[in-house]
Amino acid sequence: MEQKVLRLSPSRVNDFTNCPRLYKYRAIENLPEKLSLDAERGKLVHSVLEDLFDLPRSERKESAAIELLPTKWEEHQAEKPEITSAVPDEKEWLDRVKSLLSTYFLLEDPTTFDSTYRELHLERDMSEDVYLHGYVDRLDIAATGEVRIIDYKTGKSPKPGWEEKALFQLRVYALLYWRREGVIPRLLQLLYLGDGKSVKSSPTESQLLATERILTNISQEILTAIETDHFPTKKSRLCDWCSFKEICPAFNKE
Ligand code: SF4
């Protein structure tokens, strides 16, 4: 039988490393998942920040972001009508979004720079069997040619010692960009709007090569799991948020 190409992204890699069974339910069986209000709130914040950079520099103020919100919220509801009834209190919901947007302005002043790309799709065939891709929230190229990659997180910053794990996603983007453009980004930055903190890193060539090796190893593990249909469960605190807990053999007898 012809082998299908494995589509990898930082999220799917995280799924597999967090729990192979979760990966199977999500990436192979494409099972439906319950609506996550946290994830939907994150998408709404991202869409406002994306449009903010369409405005002239001098207009990219906190008030402008708040003004964009009603339109973006309407668009969000039109795209996903079930969100309207899932939000228990619309005012509280929008107030939380506003608070996250306000925190963004504590971390950056968007009137002082321009953004080159938003929602940039980067992709690469790692081999005949493996395709790697991802969407970068924002990529800025300075007049000097220096590149920085920004990712907005609507949660809180990682506890000390967990920053490296958090940076993996951006190192994958940096690797994809480097392989495409021949330029290693100067700065990777995670902006945590949940607590107004950021995590920064300047990637080195050896770090990106190490990231590539990790991706190669994980893709081999996934291909083996698919071939043998072996996706063990891995219980963790993430199970409390897992959409598949009700059917997961770790919590139910098969
Ligand atoms: S409930 Fe836990 S063990 Fe089961 S699939 Fe989800 S994350 Fe994995």
Side-chain angles (χ1 to χ4, degrees), residues 19 21-22 25 233-235 239 242 244-245 248 250-251:
C19 172
R21 182 63 69 124
L22 165 67
Y25 290 145
T233 57
K234 193 164 153 188
K235 281 168 99 171
C239 297
C242 180
F244 312 113
K245 198 171 176 182
C248 173
F251 294 89

Side-chain angles (χ1 to χ4, degrees), residues 5 28-29 80 92 101 106 114 195 229 237 244 248:
V5 171
I28 297 182
E29 298 187 353
K80 196 168 272 188
E92 197 179 285
L101 289 170
L106 301 176
D114 284 316
D195 59 6
D229 193 20
R237 61 188 178 83
F244 312 113
C248 173

